[in-house]
Amino acid sequence: MASNLDQAREQVRATGARVTGARVKVLAVLLQADEALTHTEVQRRLEQGDAHELLDRVTLYRVLEWLVEAGLSHRVSGPDRVWRFSAHGDDAPAGGGHAHGAQHGHFKCRRCERMFCMKSSSRLARTVRGMLPDGFDGDAVELTVVGRCAECAAAEAGAPHDEALRAAPEAAALAVADGR
């Protein structure tokens, strides 16, 4: 997690805001994750990490909100109406693949309930904008595809996990962008 801590520290410093241990450690947890995390999952990972960091709930909420406002992470509401947070740097994990602020969809696994960021796609944004009624001007696209993640699909089908992991989120993003 040292490289994630360094990356998180540099990203917080680049905002010009005060670099605090809480901001750096929470961002490092989000950078390390390959899926969007609820505040409870962030807290659990902080407690289980090397530092066994304990943040009270209010501080954690404030840090997560600050990371969103600073543009270092984004949040998405799942079908359960619980916010999930995600952050990806230049070397995004395989499940991420987007830059902050880029229009992208999310994939929610109905079996394990994890939520993943899909790759950003200018085609996705163009397709959705083309579907708007005349005179409407959309600023952002929020899209959630529900299905089985690669790990759950592979477990159910007995398929090799690595092949399914590479194919599932990309296939879902392309199918939505192409209107399939």
Side-chain angles (χ1 to χ4, degrees):
M1 190 156 147
S3 65
N4 286 327
L5 279 172
D6 293 339
Q7 185 179 4
R9 189 175 294 107
E10 287 308 310
Q11 287 185 11
V12 171
R13 184 176 289 125
T15 68
R18 197 167 130 234
V19 178
T20 67
R23 289 175 177 175
V24 169
K25 289 172 184 167
V26 171
L27 181 56
V29 165
L30 294 177
L31 287 168
Q32 186 177 24
D34 63 351
E35 74 249 21
L37 304 174
T38 66
H39 69 280
T40 303
E41 293 166 331
V42 171
Q43 183 68 52
R44 190 173 305 123
R45 289 184 186 204
L46 284 169
E47 291 170 359
Q48 294 171 350
D50 295 336
H52 300 287
E53 185 71 25
L54 296 177
L55 290 180
D56 65 84
R57 193 171 27 172
V58 173
T59 300
L60 179 57
Y61 283 130
R62 288 180 180 161
V63 169
L64 288 167
E65 286 299 315
W66 182 85
L67 291 171
V68 170
E69 290 172 12
L72 298 176
S73 71
H74 71 277
R75 67 179 177 194
V76 61
S77 177
D80 55 2
R81 298 185 181 158
V82 174
W83 288 116
R84 287 167 174 77
F85 298 85
S86 182
H88 299 287
D90 295 334
D91 301 310
H98 71 274
H100 277 300
Q103 294 288 308
H104 66 279
H106 295 89
F107 185 91
K108 168 88 168 142
C109 180
R110 69 175 174 261
R111 183 171 181 229
C112 69
E113 308 228 343
R114 292 184 297 169
M115 186 169 292
F116 302 87
C117 291
M118 296 189 310
K119 289 185 177 182
S120 60
S121 168
S122 58
R123 287 190 329 183
L124 173 63
R126 280 194 310 270
T127 300
V128 172
R129 283 190 194 103
M131 297 166 59
L132 294 174
D134 289 339
F136 282 61
D137 183 24
D139 296 325
V141 175
E142 291 186 19
L143 171 75
T144 302
V145 176
V146 179
R148 289 178 301 157
C149 71
E151 188 174 331
C152 291
E156 288 178 17
H161 175 262
D162 290 340
E163 288 178 31
L165 185 60
R166 282 193 297 272
E170 289 180 33
L174 291 174
V176 169
D178 290 341
R180 287 186 262 150

